[in-house]
Amino acid sequence: MISSELTFASDSYPNPYEAEIRAAGYPSSVYATAPPVPPQPFESTKAVWVDTLEGVSEMLAELRKAKEIAVDLEHHDVHSYHGLVSLMQISTRDKDWVIDTLQPWREELQQLNEVFADPSILKVFHGSSMDIIWLQRDLGLYIVGLFDTYHAAAALEYPKRSLKYLLAKFANFQADKQYQMADWRLRPLTEEMFNYARADTHFLLHVYDHLRNQLLEKSQNLIDYVLEHSKAEALQRYERPVYDAETGQGSGGWYDLLARSPVAF
């Protein structure tokens, strides 16, 4: 029996969109079964590579018109203290974008909050927990109106909850996970890496359609459970790690590193 009751932890200061996230209602389409919309053919459609501010503006103009979007990130953390978001993928029902988030104008991507914080536009993620933190930390972006397909798979008690499993189950697409730990700072991306990144969102709205229908067919409580847990993910707040330089104590401090690898020192 899955309970929809969820308690949010109290932090020293809240998510700046906390009021909007808590108050936001979901679009009526979330509560209605409908035939899943087939995705555009993967082989015969191309994603748009966004590496200019003009490209961001053109993309934003199209995203404003969408009712649902799928979002994913590629994060690189090798040889880095905290890692960095290297790519963002966004898909509508008709189009895919892959955004180069390593550009010197990456702070300008905050303008996407116009869409990301709009509760009338559903944002579909899979396993959003770290994505929410990374979006805040690197790009100043927040999500209002989140639907996390991981929590839907959990509510439906699937034997596996990975995106790879869901893509195979509902889109008959076999994701090549050898690129999961690739160096996403690489430019230009190889064709294989580009397609891997794009696939994570290209099929996700179709996956969402199937999951939403199954949740509603089983119980209204299940869809409420998923939406409540999705809100909890969106309410996370990134807090920069701090530590005592003298003692090394605290998150990211040198004491923990020394305790784990004393021989190196």
Side-chain angles (χ1 to χ4, degrees), residues 42-231:
F42 192 76
E43 296 77 11
S44 60
T45 56
K46 291 186 178 181
V48 177
W49 174 247
V50 180
D51 62 351
T52 66
L53 278 174
E54 292 76 14
V56 173
S57 296
E58 292 171 5
M59 176 183 68
L60 182 57
E62 294 192 54
L63 293 178
R64 290 190 189 105
K65 304 172 186 176
K67 296 180 179 179
E68 315 104 342
I69 63 173
V71 184
D72 188 42
L73 305 175
E74 301 302 338
H75 185 264
H76 182 86
D77 57 9
V78 178
H79 303 144
S80 169
Y81 285 109
H82 302 298
L84 69 164
V85 174
S86 301
L87 286 181
M88 183 194 306
Q89 303 95 272
I90 304 177
S91 293
T92 62
R93 298 285 184 179
D94 303 310
K95 198 167 184 177
D96 305 322
W97 292 268
V98 179
I99 304 104
D100 184 0
T101 56
L102 298 182
Q103 292 290 333
W105 43 257
R106 61 190 283 149
E107 291 185 0
E108 297 295 328
L109 288 170
Q110 290 186 47
Q111 64 188 290
L112 291 177
N113 274 323
E114 180 183 344
V115 169
F116 281 15
D118 183 346
S120 69
I121 301 174
L122 187 70
K123 271 68 66 173
V124 180
F125 284 68
H126 181 82
S128 63
S129 184
M130 292 309 302
D131 289 339
I132 295 297
I133 296 298
W134 295 334
L135 283 171
Q136 294 179 27
R137 183 196 69 195
D138 289 3
L139 304 175
L141 291 171
Y142 297 83
I143 304 297
V144 179
L146 171 66
F147 186 104
D148 192 324
T149 52
Y150 172 85
H151 291 297
L156 292 165
E157 299 182 331
Y158 283 175
K160 297 179 182 178
R161 287 100 189 252
S162 68
L163 180 57
K164 179 178 181 179
Y165 173 80
L166 296 177
L167 291 176
K169 180 176 178 66
F170 295 118
N172 195 29
F173 183 85
Q174 301 297 325
D176 188 349
K177 288 303 178 181
Q178 69 170 301
Y179 296 105
Q180 195 165 20
M181 302 303 294
D183 186 346
W184 292 102
R185 301 170 302 174
L186 180 67
R187 299 292 184 273
L189 293 174
T190 66
E191 183 178 357
E192 293 78 12
M193 291 173 70
F194 186 85
N195 286 333
Y196 166 86
R198 173 194 173 203
D200 282 353
T201 56
H202 179 82
F203 300 102
L204 192 54
L205 292 177
H206 180 68
V207 169
Y208 154 74
D209 287 343
H210 283 279
L211 294 172
R212 178 203 63 227
N213 286 349
Q214 290 187 16
L215 291 165
L216 290 168
E217 287 164 4
K218 284 199 169 187
S219 170
Q220 175 73 39
N221 290 337
L222 288 186
I223 198 80
D224 291 338
Y225 166 89
V226 173
L227 298 180
E228 192 74 3
H229 279 69
S230 296
K231 280 193 173 186

Side-chain angles (χ1 to χ4, degrees), residues 237-254:
R237 176 182 55 77
Y238 171 67
E239 186 172 1
R240 186 174 299 279
V242 295
Y243 68 94
D244 187 301
E246 184 175 347
T247 67
Q249 301 287 344
S251 178
W254 54 260

